[in-house]
Amino acid sequence: MPTEGTEGTEGTEGPGQAPAQPRRPRVDAERNRARLLDAARAAFASGRQLVTLEQIARDSGVGIGTLYRHFPTREALVEALYRKELADLCAIVDDLLAAHSPDLALRAWMDRFAGYVAAKREMATTLRAVFASGTVTVSQAREELTAAVQRVLEADAATRTLRDDVRAEDIVAMIVGMFTATSLAGGHEQLERMFDLLMDAVRTHR
């Protein structure tokens, strides 16, 4: 496991020795960054009252100095996690389409969306600061989510499991509205029912 201070270190050699293989700082750095983001995701999803950067560093198995080299501020960490979670949510569409018919892929994606939003609620205060800075905007996220749903609709051209008048931006707007309307307490069960109602509305009934 990389230890504090090893990120970016080159190998050395003594007199008469062949040059040692240099470390691969980029690989180490990428691995540490991934560990930090995984630890941050778990911490924010744990329901802790206060998630500290020190705790995230401990959970990831790297030193606090390594964390600050990757993420100088809490906002930088939350922004990176937000971007990764959004990218993962959009990318999973292709895997779901490979395993399911488009209508079932869309329904499964809604469940993934639920997990994505639940994690964002735990870091809402910091996310508001990130949005306020303008480095990430809600409209950008909507565009990426809409593009993901559009891939489902395009994949449905042959099977026609979904109505041909369904628009990707409308589905995203309705899903986001469902989260806005539900509470944290008991909200999951209500969301499941609402997702099923939405799917019943957009499916082709034969």
Side-chain angles (χ1 to χ4, degrees):
M1 179 178 72
T3 58
E4 184 67 19
T6 63
E7 233 176 49
T9 302
E10 293 282 334
T12 58
E13 65 273 3
Q17 294 179 330
Q21 289 295 320
R23 289 185 59 81
R24 301 176 65 187
R26 180 167 298 180
V27 173
D28 284 349
E30 289 176 353
R31 181 167 57 243
N32 287 341
R33 188 177 190 277
R35 285 176 173 170
L36 288 163
L37 290 175
D38 286 343
R41 180 191 295 111
F44 284 118
S46 69
R48 295 175 189 167
Q49 290 293 324
L50 176 64
V51 176
T52 66
L53 297 184
E54 290 77 9
Q55 184 62 55
I56 290 172
R58 285 195 296 272
D59 291 348
S60 69
V62 306
I64 189 65
T66 297
L67 183 149
Y68 280 117
R69 279 197 291 276
H70 288 280
F71 310 110
T73 64
R74 183 182 181 87
E75 287 76 15
L77 173 61
V78 167
E79 179 186 342
L81 180 58
Y82 173 84
R83 290 183 184 277
K84 176 173 172 47
E85 292 277 275
L86 179 60
D88 289 349
L89 176 63
C90 294
I92 197 65
V93 162
D94 298 321
D95 293 336
L96 293 173
L97 284 170
H100 305 289
S101 61
D103 61 329
L104 295 180
L106 180 59
R107 180 62 183 84
W109 188 77
M110 290 180 185
D111 287 332
R112 301 300 180 98
F113 201 135
Y116 162 82
V117 172
K120 302 303 145 307
R121 282 172 166 167
E122 296 300 328
M123 53 187 186
T125 301
T126 306
L127 260 182
R128 280 194 290 271
V130 172
F131 286 131
S133 72
T135 57
V136 176
T137 66
V138 173
S139 61
Q140 290 170 351
R142 288 284 187 97
E143 289 174 4
E144 293 184 45
L145 294 168
T146 298
V149 175
Q150 183 61 37
R151 295 207 301 277
V152 177
L153 300 182
E154 291 170 356
D156 193 52
T159 56
R160 297 295 183 187
T161 62
L162 300 167
R163 288 168 39 178
D164 57 13
D165 61 343
V166 173
R167 301 186 61 168
E169 59 267 31
D170 295 341
I171 290 180
V172 171
M174 285 186 282
I175 294 174
V176 171
M178 290 175 185
F179 285 106
T180 303
T182 55
S183 64
L184 288 174
H188 179 74
E189 290 78 9
Q190 186 177 28
L191 277 172
E192 289 289 315
R193 296 193 300 271
M194 294 169 79
F195 287 162
D196 288 340
L197 286 170
L198 176 56
M199 287 305 306
D200 189 60
V202 302
R203 274 193 177 103
T204 300
H205 296 282
R206 297 172 180 173

